Structures are given as structure tokens and as C-alpha cells.
Amino acid sequence: MLETPAPNRPTLPPEIARRRTFAIISHPDAGKTTLTEKFLLYGGAIQMAGQVRAKGEARRTRSDFMKMEQDRGISVSASAMSFDFATADRAFRFNLVDTPGHSDFSEDTYRTLTAVDAAVMVIDGAKGIESQTQKLFEVCRMRDLPILTFCNKMDRESRDTFDIIDEIQENLAIDVTPASWPIGVGREFIGCYDLLHDRLELMDRADRNRVAETVRISGLDDPQLEARIPADLLAKLREEVEMARELLPPMDAARFLEGSLTPIWFGSAINSFGVQELMAGIAEFGPEPQPQRAEPRQVGADETSVTGFVFKVQANMDPKHRDRVAFVRLASGHFERGMKLTHVRTRKPMSVSNPVLFLAADRELAEEAWAGDIIGIPNHGQLRIGDALTEGETLRFTGIPSFAPELLQTVRAGDPMKAKHLEKALMQFAEEGAAKVFKPAIGSGFIVGVVGQLQFEVLASRIELEYGLPVRFDTTQFKSARWLSGSKAALDGVIAKNPQHIAHDNDGDPVFLTRLQWDIDRIERDHPDVRLSATKEMMTG
């Protein structure tokens, strides 16, 4: 076990040291949601894994609670789940954040990655590294997140194992060390050889929810192998493992934690195979809760006072109660229900009396939580993305971005009498981070900005479902938006000369709406004291 703290880093209290907080990243359809299901199954959190595209009365996937996700079989919002996982000698608490797989929701994923200490990268054995995987990997690299890799769907026709590893090393510029090695592929796939512990893992195709059979052996010359693996597959396994051990680096915990080496496990999530070994790897090698970046100082997980930050807001998880839940990553301390915390942005005390822990769409009251945990705080709009909660200290957690939208459309309610209802719905989605909402300086109505087209469909669907309000999105002359910053006099000058391009976001900050790159170049040339920015730091203070 990795008990040794990093140099100059204090030993964490046992409750904090046993926590592993991580996200799962992948290209759509690589099997991320199925893997999440099996994590919950092995953690004892659910008795039966649901199917993503469930039919009839079959259980819906637990981690996709929005109606559209269930209908389409895609994940479009990040959900958090806490569950226990025990190895032979230690009990762990896993905090798993399932990120949206669809590229139109990459901003939600980016923010989610600010709240975790490691990532599990899921790739498809036939397709290898795909575009969205690459983008998400780059985000992990910017945050120096350690990455564990799971190569899924080995029970289908997949590529040569060395080819898969080479592609990861070349495309992502990271060294790969095999934690397990597949035996056969497609219909011939019978299991894996565990290189870290010299064990044979055999897959049971008959029962998808059964744990694989494990046989402890003493190396690849153990006679037990011949009784269990066909001769041709065994010869190939011995040859490939010998090559892998010569050509590929061994597991090095320090290099993994600094983000320059990723261990890879092979398996089939749908058949529950390889998942338990991956979970044991997260427990054994995954980082303990890490220090969090903040101003004016970094916050260590070992500190006794409670601090945390909001990285996601989800509205109407329970449409009957019109609730909003702020997802808070605890950065330090031991939180207890009923504590009074300072909401740094408003400087007001906040009594946290109904905090929740998530099991996908289910939740239970959190009597306590520790650094590394993710808790939900139900509220009526006080908490926004980027907000800090402390026991009095004025801290601002950094690195939670908001990106300029790439698609802009106007929005109108089907019933003009319900314009006020629409404004309320839009403000709620803006604070949740589901879209950017801009109020033009001239004229009425709103302009909604998103990263991908699918977000407009999700918004229209949610406004109708949650507010009973049919809406219409229409094209606008504007193509993108930039936040304006500078002295008051400089900003007033730009606003006075370009009123038709000016809008304000839901925080009241001025925004310049652009039709062409030429608009941006003109402002930068004519108003050198004003800065146009494509990102806005969601910090409070």
C-alpha cells in the first residue's frame, strides 16, 4: 500500500487517507456508464447493474437520472457517487464522479475535473484513443491528474494489445505500464493475467454480474496454467508478457502520481470482468485527497478547519420539489451536519442542516463528511459554481473556468405572457452552468450561448419538463461572445460606441457579442485598454 506521504506533506488522518476521489473520462460509447454501474455493484451499493438503454421494466442506469439521458442512453450531466470498497487489508471510501461523455458538455466535465484527485480513462479495445478522450486527457494533464487506464470491450474483436499501448504512448505522450495482460481477444477472450500480483483472472460469460474466478499462481511457468488456458493462447501469452516486461516500464508509484505513467488494465465492463482489479488498483495506487489551489494560500487536506468549494450546481434533481443542489468538494477538515459555515462571496453564515451524500439519483442525509468527499447542499439559489465555504477564513478556490460559448441563439417562450417564467428558468440554468444567458443592452429577450448543439435540445426539454414552458430557439446574427474587462472609463467607452453588441451575463458582467473575428480585432485595435476574454474564472471573493 502507498502509505508514504509525498515529500514535505503531512500524514493524513486515517478517515481522510482512505478516501479516493476520482472521475471517469472517455469518448461516448466506450462503456463509461457501464463501468460506473459495475463499480457500484462491487462496492455493494446496488444489487443489480442497470442497462444504459433499458427496455420496459428493466432497471434504469443509476447514474443517469435525467429523462433525456435515459431515453438516449448518453450521459449529459456529471453525477457523483460515494460507496465503500474493501481490499483484503483495508476499507476505502470511493467518491466517483461520472462525467458527461458527450463532447457538447465538455465544460461540465472540465469543471468536474477540478474536484477530483485522479481520473480513470476508459478506451474501447477496437477504437483506441478517440477525439473526446484526447481532449479530456489534455485537461487532466493541465491539472497534473494521475490517470489509470481501462481498455474495455476485450470480449469483442479488438486491436493488438501492443498496438493499443503504442497508440496511447504516441497520441497522449505518456508512458504506459501493463497492470494486466489479456488472454485471447473477441470470442477467444477468456481472461487476463494480473502482472502486478501474478494471478490468473478468468471470465465467466454465463453471468454478467458474477465476480471473475481468481487463481493465484507462481509465475507464467506454473503448471496450473496449462490446465486452464488452451495451448495456443498460453504460448502467445508467455511470449507477449516476456516482450512487455522487456519493452515497457514497470509500475512506478511516484511516476504515476506525477502524471507521467499510466497503468493499464484490460477487461469487459459489460461482463463484469477486469473491473475489480481496476478498483483494487485505484485503492492501492490512487492518490489520497490532495491540496487544493486557492488564494491567498493552498489548502491542505490535513487541516482541521472545514473548507470546500462548489464545482457544480444541479437544478431540479427532484422536479416535484424545485430543488437546487450544489455539489461541494470538501478540501479540508471534518464536516458535521448542522455546522455553520461562512459563504465567502456574501460573507454570510450558512447553517448546513440537510447535506446529502449521493448514490447516483438516490441520496441520503450526510451526518458527517471528510476532506475528499463530495456532498450536496440543497439551497434556493444562494450557492453558485466557484463559491467557497469555510469556517470564517476568506479563501477563493482557483481554476474553475467558464468558457465563451461557441453557439448563440435567441430564446422565446411559446406564450408571451410567460416571459417572467422564462427569465427565472434561464437564470437558474445559467447559475447551474448549463448555459450562458446574456441580456442584450438593446431590445428585449435573451440570448443563450452553449458549447454544442445538443445543449439547446437539452435546455428546451428541461424548460418544458421542469417549468411546463414550451420554448423556441432561433438563430441570431451573433456567433460568439467575449467578456470585457478594464477600467470603468474604458468599458464605458466601448459600451457607448457599440451598444448593439453589448449584453450582460447573469452575474451582471459586460459581454461583447461578436459576428466575426473582425469585430474582436476592431475592439482590440480601437480600445487597447479593454481586454476581451474567452474564459471567465468562476471565483468568488
Side-chain angles (χ1 to χ4, degrees), residues 331-531:
S332 64
H334 176 205
F335 167 86
E336 293 178 287
R337 184 159 82 91
M339 278 183 99
K340 270 202 164 43
L341 295 175
T342 299
H343 181 212
V344 174
R345 176 166 52 84
T346 60
R347 307 281 192 278
K348 287 181 180 170
M350 190 175 187
S351 185
V352 187
S353 50
N354 295 307
V356 291
L357 280 172
F358 299 97
L359 170 53
D362 295 347
R363 26 169 132 168
E364 58 186 57
L365 221 48
E367 292 300 333
E368 62 171 0
W370 297 79
D373 283 339
I374 290 165
I375 60 170
I377 301 181
N379 67 99
H380 294 290
Q382 302 95 309
L383 292 175
R384 295 185 187 175
I385 293 168
D387 277 358
L389 295 169
T390 70
E391 286 195 59
E393 187 179 356
T394 301
L395 283 172
R396 305 189 309 163
F397 288 90
T398 61
I400 304 171
S402 181
F403 298 105
E406 293 170 22
L407 298 168
L408 296 173
Q409 291 191 358
T410 58
V411 60
R412 281 187 170 66
D415 178 352
M417 305 300 289
K418 296 209 170 157
K420 270 275 170 254
H421 287 72
L422 176 60
E423 181 172 352
K424 187 178 169 197
L426 291 175
M427 287 305 147
Q428 183 155 317
F429 291 132
E431 284 169 18
E432 185 185 315
K436 304 289 178 298
V437 176
F438 303 123
K439 183 89 178 80
I442 293 176
S444 61
F446 292 89
I447 290 176
V448 175
V450 296
V451 175
Q453 187 63 38
L454 182 60
Q455 280 177 286
F456 285 127
E457 291 178 46
V458 170
L459 278 176
S461 156
R462 286 187 63 189
I463 293 170
E464 184 158 4
L465 274 172
E466 295 167 23
Y467 290 88
L469 194 61
V471 294
R472 202 174 85 217
F473 285 101
D474 292 314
T475 54
T476 172
Q477 59 173 321
F478 300 113
K479 295 289 182 280
S480 76
R482 293 290 182 271
W483 281 278
L484 295 166
S485 57
S487 68
K488 186 176 185 307
L491 288 176
D492 287 348
V494 172
I495 290 167
K497 286 184 180 169
N498 302 275
Q500 73 281 16
H501 285 273
I502 302 300
H504 289 85
D505 70 9
N506 64 301
D507 294 323
D509 292 333
V511 173
F512 185 80
L513 300 173
T514 75
R515 291 168 303 197
L516 308 159
Q517 180 62 36
W518 183 83
D519 289 330
I520 296 172
D521 296 342
R522 179 175 59 83
I523 295 298
E524 287 175 342
R525 185 188 67 228
D526 297 348
H527 302 271
D529 299 341
V530 171
R531 191 162 157 266

Side-chain angles (χ1 to χ4, degrees), residues 1 39 84 91 111 206 208 213 219 258 283 307 318 322 340 363 399 423 494 506:
M1 282 293 166
F39 275 6
D84 291 313
R111 286 199 291 263
R208 288 181 162 182
E213 183 189 354
E258 70 184 27
T307 64
D318 181 351
R322 279 275 178 272
K340 270 202 164 43
R363 26 169 132 168
E423 181 172 352
V494 172
N506 64 301

Side-chain angles (χ1 to χ4, degrees), residues 84-101:
D84 291 313
F85 177 72
T87 59
D89 54 353
R90 197 170 166 203
F92 290 87
R93 165 54 65 105
F94 280 6
N95 295 308
L96 159 63
V97 185
D98 182 23
T99 59

Side-chain angles (χ1 to χ4, degrees), residues 4 129 152 236 292 319 324 400 429 448 481:
T4 50
I129 298 294
N152 193 19
K236 189 173 184 218
Q292 298 295 319
R324 302 178 58 172
I400 304 171
F429 291 132
V448 175

